[in-house]
Amino acid sequence: MTTSQTTSQTTSQTTSSPRTKHEIAAAIAADVAAAFPRGAYANLGIGQPTLVADHLPPGSGVVLHTENGMLNMGPAATGDEVDPDLTNAGKIPVTELPGAAYFHHADSFAMMRGGHLDVCVLGAFQVSATGDLANWHTGAPDAIPAVGGAMDLAIGAKEVWVMMTLLTKDGTPKLVPECTYPLTGLGCVDRVYTDLGTFEITRDGVTVRDVAGTTVEALRDLLGPAVLPG
Amino acid sequence: MTTSQTTSQTTSQTTSSPRTKHEIAAAIAADVAAAFPRGAYANLGIGQPTLVADHLPPGSGVVLHTENGMLNMGPAATGDEVDPDLTNAGKIPVTELPGAAYFHHADSFAMMRGGHLDVCVLGAFQVSATGDLANWHTGAPDAIPAVGGAMDLAIGAKEVWVMMTLLTKDGTPKLVPECTYPLTGLGCVDRVYTDLGTFEITRDGVTVRDVAGTTVEALRDLLGPAVLPG
Amino acid sequence: MSVEVCTSYDEAVADVADGSTVLVGGFGMAGMPVHLIDALIRQGATDLTVVSNNAGNGDTGLAALLAAKRVRTVICSFPRQADSWVFDGLYRAGDIELEVVPQGNLAERMRAAGAGIGAFYCPTAVGTPLSEGKETREIDGRTYVLEYPIRGDVALIGAHLSDRMGNLVYRKTARNFGPVMATAARTVVAQVDCVVETGEIDPEHVVTPSIYVDRVVPAGAREEVPA
Amino acid sequence: MSVEVCTSYDEAVADVADGSTVLVGGFGMAGMPVHLIDALIRQGATDLTVVSNNAGNGDTGLAALLAAKRVRTVICSFPRQADSWVFDGLYRAGDIELEVVPQGNLAERMRAAGAGIGAFYCPTAVGTPLSEGKETREIDGRTYVLEYPIRGDVALIGAHLSDRMGNLVYRKTARNFGPVMATAARTVVAQVDCVVETGEIDPEHVVTPSIYVDRVVPAGAREEVPA
């Protein structure tokens, strides 16, 4: 088990006043962005993962895929750039970068499901110690199920990274021995970026990649031995 | 069983000297061309079926598909028109017509196998009374098998028409109770155009669509009751 | 063969039968054939199965078709949205059936229909509620779910240009489901920004070849208000 | 990410390992990556499985690779041609293995590899010698054969233009197997007529998106004669 005790650049400054939800998400997004391989082809899921794009260093060469049919998507469109025919998967107007390509939905998901994307970053309700992902459905009996591309993304990329707060609002861990929410994908998550640390999910179990403002021991106490054995 | 006794325009003039192989093929091709629905999307197999293109009336609106990735293929290229990047499935340089489209091999065969072509015209060694087609392999033990797109074409079009001489050089019928050569497709042939008549293959059996220089009775004698019952 | 260029949206959907499966293109508003949907509402076909990525937004388009009680079943990947109140109400009242399909399966199942594939083994949704009751198989150490084609009687799509043969090109991410749906339905109707002369679209740039397209309706076509 | 632009054909195929499965594009000479095949001959990798539509013509290209005894197995649709004497001789002598695959299956099996499909039910070859021993299934009254993906370690293809990211466009029917093979191999190498600046290919016209392409070699690159 390789455990790096270095705290990450951006999440280590948790000193005085509690951070806002947005600040926490931005810090996690910065951690994810810093870890991106140069020139990676990546899909950033709807919601918080889209923040990662704002933190990519200039010249990162990262090429963004959007599952509604485009490679090399640019930043959100503003003003005159807005074109109703050019949106991301969240239906937000975006721009195109030089070297972009358009393709239809079957080709787009073939690209994703064929394992050609280097990284996919997703939000999650829960991740299990064996990499199961739950992010599409709370399981509430009155909820209308809606999956979108979540299950395709979960199994499609070479690496699936989750970004989430480690705990729910009421303090319950979201990295769990076994998911209680309906699954999105089985054993598909490779890494989990959280506000309290980053975890790798390997065949041998969960390891701590780095911690943020806490210790590995404290994380063990939080998550329990079924998730983080000593 | 609907039997039309009208002889076809082009093959009825078999009067004096025996026709050459090419004249026979041209006559069959003219019959096929005359039967094409206006504006049909069609694939003409390698070899004699390509002759059909020469007999399409002006304004037929027929759009030719070639399985190496093109719709609205034009006639063979001559002189300066020859472009090594533009060939038909027989690897012969061809031309493009206005409104052509190029696509890759998987899209091209998806188009074919998905049943979007109206007609496919193929040559044959044998056709059975139930529409089985044998046209890819003589079954000779030393022959090197080579199928190309034959099996895809056989099952792909809305209608599969075969054009062939009705008899082999030694007088053996090629429309048979059951094929003896290795099959290309099962129950896939809808119509058989020959030098002696045109046959429809229906669920109820083989019927004569028209005869050329012979009679239905003579065809019955030739083919036997297993193929053409009274 | 020339495509049928319709002078009204209503003419283009006049023959949609009750009980049809209708594939409706678009992702959000991009590529959404709004005028054809409006015409379908005027036309009155009912008991429809609609296959589309979403289940209607706001009170127009697909949502209006649903509100008019013309749709028995929706097959889509993402019905629940901030402004999907029409669908939500019908669903909660038990007045509409829903099949939720992962977006990639939705696309690939229509592609299979268009390509003559009888069924395919797919890695998506293994071990999740959306594969419950479905056949699975392990191939080369990975588990797959068996998925079947989705065929349409009619596809209504949006495209940018058509030529007079029916070759289509799209604009940017408005391409989305259009090219796939065009292969998967018996009758394909496209609303387009403009119909150009045959030969004006470079054969290298055609996205949907003419063979797939039955009717096109250029922008500005008539909307016939029923008498 | 920028694609690797190689200055010699030999550099582009330097890492092809013995025992590799090599997908080779082209239909006849259209789209045939002749310079890459020549470099592969110079490179010396052996015990190869070659997947291509044909099994070589005349004495050059694939035929020369076969003649050099580098190929253990050919997977193709149409080995037998008027000028396929090299293959014919090796086959009759029992010096090469052959898997004959219907052309549509060849394309669709590579597409499946690229698209993450584990296997698919296909209507081609039902009841023929080429489906003997294969699993079949009746779906909706039609019989289908179960077909598995064909994956490549390397794909060698020909294209018209590449930009510096690796987006490819093709010319006319030289497109053929290139775009499919580019999705189905771990390493994809394209010989192209010209490498243009990123942004010079309209994003609407890209046929093979850059994600699939690892190396491109523009015409006029060096051919390194081994010392």
Side-chain angles (χ1 to χ4, degrees), chain B residues 83 85 87 91 96 105 109 113 142 144-145 147-148 152 155, chain D residues 54 77-81 92 103-105 124 142 171-173 176:
Chain B
D83 179 338
D85 283 347
T87 77
K91 288 153 194 167
E96 75 183 29
H105 242 83
F109 279 81
R113 304 177 351 157
D142 66 332
I144 296 175
V147 69
D152 306 291
I155 57 87
Chain D
N54 301 109
S77 89
F78 210 78
R80 184 194 64 216
Q81 297 190 277
R92 294 216 155 95
Q103 201 170 129
N105 285 7
T124 296
R142 191 176 192 190
R171 266 195 88 239
K172 304 186 185 281
T173 57
N176 59 70

PDB file of all heavy atoms in Angstrom, chain B residues 83 85 87 91 96 105 109 113 142 144-145 147-148 152 155, chain D residues 54 77-81 92 103-105 124 142 171-173 176:
ATOM      1  N   ASP B  83      -9.037   8.200 -61.190  1.00  0.00           N
ATOM      2  CA  ASP B  83      -8.507   8.644 -59.901  1.00  0.00           C
ATOM      3  C   ASP B  83      -8.323   7.384 -59.061  1.00  0.00           C
ATOM      4  O   ASP B  83      -9.297   6.689 -58.774  1.00  0.00           O
ATOM      5  CB  ASP B  83      -9.524   9.600 -59.256  1.00  0.00           C
ATOM      6  CG  ASP B  83      -9.078  10.108 -57.890  1.00  0.00           C
ATOM      7  OD1 ASP B  83      -8.226   9.455 -57.242  1.00  0.00           O
ATOM      8  OD2 ASP B  83      -9.598  11.157 -57.470  1.00  0.00           O
ATOM      9  N   ASP B  85      -8.092   6.909 -56.096  1.00  0.00           N
ATOM     10  CA  ASP B  85      -8.863   6.937 -54.850  1.00  0.00           C
ATOM     11  C   ASP B  85     -10.360   6.752 -55.088  1.00  0.00           C
ATOM     12  O   ASP B  85     -11.144   6.847 -54.145  1.00  0.00           O
ATOM     13  CB  ASP B  85      -8.655   8.276 -54.127  1.00  0.00           C
ATOM     14  CG  ASP B  85      -7.315   8.346 -53.420  1.00  0.00           C
ATOM     15  OD1 ASP B  85      -6.656   7.292 -53.286  1.00  0.00           O
ATOM     16  OD2 ASP B  85      -6.925   9.451 -53.023  1.00  0.00           O
ATOM     17  N   THR B  87     -12.805   4.073 -56.824  1.00  0.00           N
ATOM     18  CA  THR B  87     -13.048   2.829 -57.568  1.00  0.00           C
ATOM     19  C   THR B  87     -14.357   2.206 -57.099  1.00  0.00           C
ATOM     20  O   THR B  87     -14.897   2.570 -56.060  1.00  0.00           O
ATOM     21  CB  THR B  87     -11.928   1.791 -57.338  1.00  0.00           C
ATOM     22  OG1 THR B  87     -12.109   1.176 -56.046  1.00  0.00           O
ATOM     23  CG2 THR B  87     -10.544   2.419 -57.414  1.00  0.00           C
ATOM     24  N   LYS B  91     -12.775  -2.738 -57.968  1.00  0.00           N
ATOM     25  CA  LYS B  91     -11.498  -2.001 -58.024  1.00  0.00           C
ATOM     26  C   LYS B  91     -11.254  -1.354 -59.382  1.00  0.00           C
ATOM     27  O   LYS B  91     -10.125  -1.069 -59.768  1.00  0.00           O
ATOM     28  CB  LYS B  91     -10.334  -2.899 -57.591  1.00  0.00           C
ATOM     29  CG  LYS B  91     -10.388  -3.148 -56.092  1.00  0.00           C
ATOM     30  CD  LYS B  91      -9.760  -4.417 -55.636  1.00  0.00           C
ATOM     31  CE  LYS B  91     -10.175  -4.704 -54.193  1.00  0.00           C
ATOM     32  NZ  LYS B  91      -9.862  -6.052 -53.742  1.00  0.00           N
ATOM     33  N   GLU B  96     -18.002   9.979 -59.919  1.00  0.00           N
ATOM     34  CA  GLU B  96     -19.071  10.291 -58.967  1.00  0.00           C
ATOM     35  C   GLU B  96     -20.103  11.172 -59.662  1.00  0.00           C
ATOM     36  O   GLU B  96     -19.770  11.974 -60.531  1.00  0.00           O
ATOM     37  CB  GLU B  96     -18.521  10.962 -57.701  1.00  0.00           C
ATOM     38  CG  GLU B  96     -18.114  12.403 -57.884  1.00  0.00           C
ATOM     39  CD  GLU B  96     -17.505  13.061 -56.636  1.00  0.00           C
ATOM     40  OE1 GLU B  96     -16.892  12.371 -55.805  1.00  0.00           O
ATOM     41  OE2 GLU B  96     -17.637  14.285 -56.525  1.00  0.00           O
ATOM     42  N   HIS B 105     -16.262   1.820 -44.425  1.00  0.00           N
ATOM     43  CA  HIS B 105     -16.716   0.459 -44.680  1.00  0.00           C
ATOM     44  C   HIS B 105     -17.786  -0.034 -43.701  1.00  0.00           C
ATOM     45  O   HIS B 105     -18.716  -0.726 -44.113  1.00  0.00           O
ATOM     46  CB  HIS B 105     -15.506  -0.484 -44.643  1.00  0.00           C
ATOM     47  CG  HIS B 105     -15.269  -1.179 -45.941  1.00  0.00           C
ATOM     48  ND1 HIS B 105     -14.585  -0.603 -46.993  1.00  0.00           N
ATOM     49  CD2 HIS B 105     -15.650  -2.402 -46.387  1.00  0.00           C
ATOM     50  CE1 HIS B 105     -14.539  -1.443 -48.005  1.00  0.00           C
ATOM     51  NE2 HIS B 105     -15.182  -2.542 -47.668  1.00  0.00           N
ATOM     52  N   PHE B 109     -21.505  -1.108 -45.015  1.00  0.00           N
ATOM     53  CA  PHE B 109     -22.142  -2.417 -44.831  1.00  0.00           C
ATOM     54  C   PHE B 109     -23.325  -2.332 -43.874  1.00  0.00           C
ATOM     55  O   PHE B 109     -24.264  -3.128 -43.976  1.00  0.00           O
ATOM     56  CB  PHE B 109     -21.109  -3.468 -44.410  1.00  0.00           C
ATOM     57  CG  PHE B 109     -20.338  -4.003 -45.590  1.00  0.00           C
ATOM     58  CD1 PHE B 109     -19.264  -3.298 -46.112  1.00  0.00           C
ATOM     59  CD2 PHE B 109     -20.725  -5.173 -46.224  1.00  0.00           C
ATOM     60  CE1 PHE B 109     -18.573  -3.761 -47.233  1.00  0.00           C
ATOM     61  CE2 PHE B 109     -20.039  -5.650 -47.342  1.00  0.00           C
ATOM     62  CZ  PHE B 109     -18.957  -4.944 -47.847  1.00  0.00           C
ATOM     63  N   ARG B 113     -26.598  -4.070 -44.906  1.00  0.00           N
ATOM     64  CA  ARG B 113     -27.129  -5.141 -44.059  1.00  0.00           C
ATOM     65  C   ARG B 113     -28.348  -4.701 -43.282  1.00  0.00           C
ATOM     66  O   ARG B 113     -29.132  -5.528 -42.807  1.00  0.00           O
ATOM     67  CB  ARG B 113     -26.029  -5.651 -43.133  1.00  0.00           C
ATOM     68  CG  ARG B 113     -24.855  -6.099 -43.969  1.00  0.00           C
ATOM     69  CD  ARG B 113     -23.595  -6.580 -43.319  1.00  0.00           C
ATOM     70  NE  ARG B 113     -23.360  -6.483 -41.940  1.00  0.00           N
ATOM     71  CZ  ARG B 113     -22.496  -7.275 -41.295  1.00  0.00           C
ATOM     72  NH1 ARG B 113     -21.865  -8.227 -41.961  1.00  0.00           N
ATOM     73  NH2 ARG B 113     -22.272  -7.121 -40.023  1.00  0.00           N
ATOM     74  N   ASP B 142      -9.355 -27.668 -53.987  1.00  0.00           N
ATOM     75  CA  ASP B 142      -8.127 -26.877 -54.037  1.00  0.00           C
ATOM     76  C   ASP B 142      -8.401 -25.375 -54.188  1.00  0.00           C
ATOM     77  O   ASP B 142      -7.474 -24.584 -54.260  1.00  0.00           O
ATOM     78  CB  ASP B 142      -7.242 -27.357 -55.187  1.00  0.00           C
ATOM     79  CG  ASP B 142      -7.904 -27.085 -56.530  1.00  0.00           C
ATOM     80  OD1 ASP B 142      -9.164 -27.049 -56.574  1.00  0.00           O
ATOM     81  OD2 ASP B 142      -7.192 -26.904 -57.528  1.00  0.00           O
ATOM     82  N   ILE B 144      -9.150 -21.628 -53.247  1.00  0.00           N
ATOM     83  CA  ILE B 144      -8.914 -20.782 -52.077  1.00  0.00           C
ATOM     84  C   ILE B 144     -10.194 -19.995 -51.832  1.00  0.00           C
ATOM     85  O   ILE B 144     -10.653 -19.278 -52.716  1.00  0.00           O
ATOM     86  CB  ILE B 144      -7.734 -19.830 -52.332  1.00  0.00           C
ATOM     87  CG1 ILE B 144      -6.453 -20.660 -52.529  1.00  0.00           C
ATOM     88  CG2 ILE B 144      -7.585 -18.841 -51.190  1.00  0.00           C
ATOM     89  CD1 ILE B 144      -5.238 -19.843 -52.895  1.00  0.00           C
ATOM     90  N   PRO B 145     -10.800 -20.162 -50.655  1.00  0.00           N
ATOM     91  CA  PRO B 145     -12.079 -19.483 -50.426  1.00  0.00           C
ATOM     92  C   PRO B 145     -11.899 -17.971 -50.380  1.00  0.00           C
ATOM     93  O   PRO B 145     -10.921 -17.478 -49.830  1.00  0.00           O
ATOM     94  CB  PRO B 145     -12.534 -20.022 -49.074  1.00  0.00           C
ATOM     95  CG  PRO B 145     -11.280 -20.461 -48.388  1.00  0.00           C
ATOM     96  CD  PRO B 145     -10.328 -20.899 -49.471  1.00  0.00           C
ATOM     97  N   VAL B 147     -14.722 -14.613 -50.122  1.00  0.00           N
ATOM     98  CA  VAL B 147     -16.148 -14.295 -50.107  1.00  0.00           C
ATOM     99  C   VAL B 147     -16.428 -12.827 -50.412  1.00  0.00           C
ATOM    100  O   VAL B 147     -17.485 -12.486 -50.937  1.00  0.00           O
ATOM    101  CB  VAL B 147     -16.781 -14.731 -48.770  1.00  0.00           C
ATOM    102  CG1 VAL B 147     -16.263 -13.862 -47.618  1.00  0.00           C
ATOM    103  CG2 VAL B 147     -18.291 -14.684 -48.826  1.00  0.00           C
ATOM    104  N   GLY B 148     -15.494 -11.931 -50.078  1.00  0.00           N
ATOM    105  CA  GLY B 148     -15.755 -10.506 -50.282  1.00  0.00           C
ATOM    106  C   GLY B 148     -17.042 -10.100 -49.594  1.00  0.00           C
ATOM    107  O   GLY B 148     -17.305 -10.504 -48.460  1.00  0.00           O
ATOM    108  N   ASP B 152     -22.866 -10.632 -47.421  1.00  0.00           N
ATOM    109  CA  ASP B 152     -23.539  -9.447 -46.884  1.00  0.00           C
ATOM    110  C   ASP B 152     -24.589  -8.945 -47.875  1.00  0.00           C
ATOM    111  O   ASP B 152     -25.707  -8.605 -47.495  1.00  0.00           O
ATOM    112  CB  ASP B 152     -22.511  -8.350 -46.605  1.00  0.00           C
ATOM    113  CG  ASP B 152     -21.388  -8.833 -45.704  1.00  0.00           C
ATOM    114  OD1 ASP B 152     -21.649  -9.084 -44.531  1.00  0.00           O
ATOM    115  OD2 ASP B 152     -20.253  -8.982 -46.208  1.00  0.00           O
ATOM    116  N   ILE B 155     -27.913 -11.039 -48.049  1.00  0.00           N
ATOM    117  CA  ILE B 155     -28.950 -10.898 -47.016  1.00  0.00           C
ATOM    118  C   ILE B 155     -29.345  -9.448 -46.783  1.00  0.00           C
ATOM    119  O   ILE B 155     -30.236  -9.171 -45.986  1.00  0.00           O
ATOM    120  CB  ILE B 155     -28.511 -11.527 -45.677  1.00  0.00           C
ATOM    121  CG1 ILE B 155     -27.199 -10.895 -45.181  1.00  0.00           C
ATOM    122  CG2 ILE B 155     -28.325 -13.025 -45.805  1.00  0.00           C
ATOM    123  CD1 ILE B 155     -27.318  -9.667 -44.374  1.00  0.00           C
TER     124      ILE B 155
ATOM    125  N   ASN D  54      -7.817  -7.741 -48.444  1.00  0.00           N
ATOM    126  CA  ASN D  54      -7.225  -8.714 -49.362  1.00  0.00           C
ATOM    127  C   ASN D  54      -5.942  -9.290 -48.740  1.00  0.00           C
ATOM    128  O   ASN D  54      -5.563  -8.903 -47.643  1.00  0.00           O
ATOM    129  CB  ASN D  54      -6.937  -8.050 -50.711  1.00  0.00           C
ATOM    130  CG  ASN D  54      -8.189  -7.483 -51.343  1.00  0.00           C
ATOM    131  OD1 ASN D  54      -8.373  -6.283 -51.411  1.00  0.00           O
ATOM    132  ND2 ASN D  54      -9.080  -8.349 -51.785  1.00  0.00           N
ATOM    133  N   SER D  77     -11.323 -10.802 -46.314  1.00  0.00           N
ATOM    134  CA  SER D  77     -12.563 -11.230 -46.970  1.00  0.00           C
ATOM    135  C   SER D  77     -12.297 -11.848 -48.335  1.00  0.00           C
ATOM    136  O   SER D  77     -13.056 -12.670 -48.800  1.00  0.00           O
ATOM    137  CB  SER D  77     -13.532 -10.043 -47.102  1.00  0.00           C
ATOM    138  OG  SER D  77     -13.331  -9.319 -48.296  1.00  0.00           O
ATOM    139  N   PHE D  78     -11.206 -11.426 -48.988  1.00  0.00           N
ATOM    140  CA  PHE D  78     -11.050 -11.821 -50.380  1.00  0.00           C
ATOM    141  C   PHE D  78      -9.572 -12.038 -50.735  1.00  0.00           C
ATOM    142  O   PHE D  78      -8.942 -11.196 -51.365  1.00  0.00           O
ATOM    143  CB  PHE D  78     -11.640 -10.731 -51.289  1.00  0.00           C
ATOM    144  CG  PHE D  78     -12.177 -11.266 -52.581  1.00  0.00           C
ATOM    145  CD1 PHE D  78     -13.413 -11.893 -52.631  1.00  0.00           C
ATOM    146  CD2 PHE D  78     -11.432 -11.187 -53.748  1.00  0.00           C
ATOM    147  CE1 PHE D  78     -13.911 -12.399 -53.822  1.00  0.00           C
ATOM    148  CE2 PHE D  78     -11.915 -11.701 -54.945  1.00  0.00           C
ATOM    149  CZ  PHE D  78     -13.166 -12.305 -54.980  1.00  0.00           C
ATOM    150  N   PRO D  79      -9.029 -13.202 -50.325  1.00  0.00           N
ATOM    151  CA  PRO D  79      -7.605 -13.444 -50.610  1.00  0.00           C
ATOM    152  C   PRO D  79      -7.326 -13.747 -52.078  1.00  0.00           C
ATOM    153  O   PRO D  79      -6.296 -13.346 -52.609  1.00  0.00           O
ATOM    154  CB  PRO D  79      -7.289 -14.674 -49.742  1.00  0.00           C
ATOM    155  CG  PRO D  79      -8.598 -15.366 -49.550  1.00  0.00           C
ATOM    156  CD  PRO D  79      -9.637 -14.281 -49.533  1.00  0.00           C
ATOM    157  N   ARG D  80      -8.276 -14.420 -52.709  1.00  0.00           N
ATOM    158  CA  ARG D  80      -8.012 -14.949 -54.048  1.00  0.00           C
ATOM    159  C   ARG D  80      -8.266 -13.883 -55.098  1.00  0.00           C
ATOM    160  O   ARG D  80      -9.388 -13.444 -55.303  1.00  0.00           O
ATOM    161  CB  ARG D  80      -8.939 -16.143 -54.308  1.00  0.00           C
ATOM    162  CG  ARG D  80      -8.708 -16.860 -55.618  1.00  0.00           C
ATOM    163  CD  ARG D  80      -9.886 -17.777 -55.904  1.00  0.00           C
ATOM    164  NE  ARG D  80     -11.127 -17.030 -56.090  1.00  0.00           N
ATOM    165  CZ  ARG D  80     -12.329 -17.441 -55.700  1.00  0.00           C
ATOM    166  NH1 ARG D  80     -12.480 -18.591 -55.083  1.00  0.00           N
ATOM    167  NH2 ARG D  80     -13.396 -16.697 -55.922  1.00  0.00           N
ATOM    168  N   GLN D  81      -7.199 -13.440 -55.760  1.00  0.00           N
ATOM    169  CA  GLN D  81      -7.366 -12.475 -56.843  1.00  0.00           C
ATOM    170  C   GLN D  81      -6.460 -12.887 -57.988  1.00  0.00           C
ATOM    171  O   GLN D  81      -5.612 -13.764 -57.844  1.00  0.00           O
ATOM    172  CB  GLN D  81      -6.991 -11.082 -56.341  1.00  0.00           C
ATOM    173  CG  GLN D  81      -7.912 -10.626 -55.224  1.00  0.00           C
ATOM    174  CD  GLN D  81      -7.697  -9.176 -54.897  1.00  0.00           C
ATOM    175  OE1 GLN D  81      -6.805  -8.819 -54.166  1.00  0.00           O
ATOM    176  NE2 GLN D  81      -8.526  -8.334 -55.499  1.00  0.00           N
ATOM    177  N   ARG D  92      -1.197 -22.715 -50.351  1.00  0.00           N
ATOM    178  CA  ARG D  92      -1.211 -24.088 -50.886  1.00  0.00           C
ATOM    179  C   ARG D  92      -0.090 -24.914 -50.278  1.00  0.00           C
ATOM    180  O   ARG D  92      -0.217 -26.128 -50.143  1.00  0.00           O
ATOM    181  CB  ARG D  92      -1.100 -24.045 -52.415  1.00  0.00           C
ATOM    182  CG  ARG D  92      -2.331 -23.410 -53.062  1.00  0.00           C
ATOM    183  CD  ARG D  92      -2.690 -24.071 -54.396  1.00  0.00           C
ATOM    184  NE  ARG D  92      -4.115 -23.877 -54.680  1.00  0.00           N
ATOM    185  CZ  ARG D  92      -4.610 -22.883 -55.429  1.00  0.00           C
ATOM    186  NH1 ARG D  92      -3.799 -22.010 -56.003  1.00  0.00           N
ATOM    187  NH2 ARG D  92      -5.912 -22.795 -55.605  1.00  0.00           N
ATOM    188  N   GLN D 103     -16.973  -9.505 -45.805  1.00  0.00           N
ATOM    189  CA  GLN D 103     -16.443  -8.139 -45.747  1.00  0.00           C
ATOM    190  C   GLN D 103     -17.180  -7.254 -44.738  1.00  0.00           C
ATOM    191  O   GLN D 103     -16.569  -6.444 -44.035  1.00  0.00           O
ATOM    192  CB  GLN D 103     -16.524  -7.520 -47.142  1.00  0.00           C
ATOM    193  CG  GLN D 103     -15.591  -6.366 -47.346  1.00  0.00           C
ATOM    194  CD  GLN D 103     -15.523  -5.951 -48.822  1.00  0.00           C
ATOM    195  OE1 GLN D 103     -15.679  -4.796 -49.151  1.00  0.00           O
ATOM    196  NE2 GLN D 103     -15.312  -6.908 -49.702  1.00  0.00           N
ATOM    197  N   GLY D 104     -18.499  -7.430 -44.685  1.00  0.00           N
ATOM    198  CA  GLY D 104     -19.271  -6.645 -43.729  1.00  0.00           C
ATOM    199  C   GLY D 104     -18.961  -7.046 -42.292  1.00  0.00           C
ATOM    200  O   GLY D 104     -18.928  -6.203 -41.392  1.00  0.00           O
ATOM    201  N   ASN D 105     -18.720  -8.337 -42.070  1.00  0.00           N
ATOM    202  CA  ASN D 105     -18.345  -8.783 -40.726  1.00  0.00           C
ATOM    203  C   ASN D 105     -16.965  -8.274 -40.349  1.00  0.00           C
ATOM    204  O   ASN D 105     -16.720  -7.918 -39.198  1.00  0.00           O
ATOM    205  CB  ASN D 105     -18.354 -10.320 -40.638  1.00  0.00           C
ATOM    206  CG  ASN D 105     -19.761 -10.878 -40.593  1.00  0.00           C
ATOM    207  OD1 ASN D 105     -20.735 -10.144 -40.752  1.00  0.00           O
ATOM    208  ND2 ASN D 105     -19.885 -12.170 -40.386  1.00  0.00           N
ATOM    209  N   THR D 124     -25.429 -12.042 -41.517  1.00  0.00           N
ATOM    210  CA  THR D 124     -24.599 -12.518 -42.625  1.00  0.00           C
ATOM    211  C   THR D 124     -24.080 -13.930 -42.360  1.00  0.00           C
ATOM    212  O   THR D 124     -23.682 -14.237 -41.237  1.00  0.00           O
ATOM    213  CB  THR D 124     -23.411 -11.556 -42.820  1.00  0.00           C
ATOM    214  OG1 THR D 124     -23.909 -10.281 -43.202  1.00  0.00           O
ATOM    215  CG2 THR D 124     -22.463 -12.065 -43.893  1.00  0.00           C
ATOM    216  N   ARG D 142     -35.845 -14.168 -37.212  1.00  0.00           N
ATOM    217  CA  ARG D 142     -34.722 -14.226 -38.140  1.00  0.00           C
ATOM    218  C   ARG D 142     -33.525 -14.863 -37.420  1.00  0.00           C
ATOM    219  O   ARG D 142     -33.345 -14.660 -36.226  1.00  0.00           O
ATOM    220  CB  ARG D 142     -34.365 -12.793 -38.574  1.00  0.00           C
ATOM    221  CG  ARG D 142     -33.403 -12.743 -39.739  1.00  0.00           C
ATOM    222  CD  ARG D 142     -33.148 -11.317 -40.215  1.00  0.00           C
ATOM    223  NE  ARG D 142     -32.460 -11.330 -41.507  1.00  0.00           N
ATOM    224  CZ  ARG D 142     -31.933 -10.265 -42.086  1.00  0.00           C
ATOM    225  NH1 ARG D 142     -32.034  -9.091 -41.507  1.00  0.00           N
ATOM    226  NH2 ARG D 142     -31.320 -10.364 -43.244  1.00  0.00           N
ATOM    227  N   ARG D 171      -9.862  10.715 -48.879  1.00  0.00           N
ATOM    228  CA  ARG D 171     -10.319  11.103 -50.216  1.00  0.00           C
ATOM    229  C   ARG D 171     -11.172   9.986 -50.807  1.00  0.00           C
ATOM    230  O   ARG D 171     -10.725   8.857 -50.937  1.00  0.00           O
ATOM    231  CB  ARG D 171      -9.119  11.329 -51.152  1.00  0.00           C
ATOM    232  CG  ARG D 171      -8.642  12.772 -51.233  1.00  0.00           C
ATOM    233  CD  ARG D 171      -7.722  12.982 -52.442  1.00  0.00           C
ATOM    234  NE  ARG D 171      -8.474  13.312 -53.631  1.00  0.00           N
ATOM    235  CZ  ARG D 171      -8.468  12.609 -54.756  1.00  0.00           C
ATOM    236  NH1 ARG D 171      -7.737  11.513 -54.866  1.00  0.00           N
ATOM    237  NH2 ARG D 171      -9.191  12.989 -55.785  1.00  0.00           N
ATOM    238  N   LYS D 172     -12.409  10.304 -51.169  1.00  0.00           N
ATOM    239  CA  LYS D 172     -13.290   9.429 -51.949  1.00  0.00           C
ATOM    240  C   LYS D 172     -13.327   8.000 -51.378  1.00  0.00           C
ATOM    241  O   LYS D 172     -13.385   7.841 -50.157  1.00  0.00           O
ATOM    242  CB  LYS D 172     -12.871   9.489 -53.419  1.00  0.00           C
ATOM    243  CG  LYS D 172     -12.896  10.959 -53.933  1.00  0.00           C
ATOM    244  CD  LYS D 172     -12.645  11.115 -55.400  1.00  0.00           C
ATOM    245  CE  LYS D 172     -12.566  12.597 -55.778  1.00  0.00           C
ATOM    246  NZ  LYS D 172     -13.896  13.206 -55.885  1.00  0.00           N
ATOM    247  N   THR D 173     -13.273   6.993 -52.240  1.00  0.00           N
ATOM    248  CA  THR D 173     -13.400   5.630 -51.703  1.00  0.00           C
ATOM    249  C   THR D 173     -12.111   5.127 -51.057  1.00  0.00           C
ATOM    250  O   THR D 173     -12.056   3.972 -50.622  1.00  0.00           O
ATOM    251  CB  THR D 173     -13.861   4.635 -52.792  1.00  0.00           C
ATOM    252  OG1 THR D 173     -12.938   4.671 -53.876  1.00  0.00           O
ATOM    253  CG2 THR D 173     -15.254   4.975 -53.286  1.00  0.00           C
ATOM    254  N   ASN D 176     -12.583   3.911 -47.109  1.00  0.00           N
ATOM    255  CA  ASN D 176     -12.919   2.501 -46.809  1.00  0.00           C
ATOM    256  C   ASN D 176     -12.660   2.034 -45.363  1.00  0.00           C
ATOM    257  O   ASN D 176     -13.385   2.405 -44.471  1.00  0.00           O
ATOM    258  CB  ASN D 176     -12.340   1.555 -47.869  1.00  0.00           C
ATOM    259  CG  ASN D 176     -10.834   1.602 -48.051  1.00  0.00           C
ATOM    260  OD1 ASN D 176     -10.094   1.172 -47.183  1.00  0.00           O
ATOM    261  ND2 ASN D 176     -10.389   2.119 -49.211  1.00  0.00           N
TER     262      ASN D 176
END
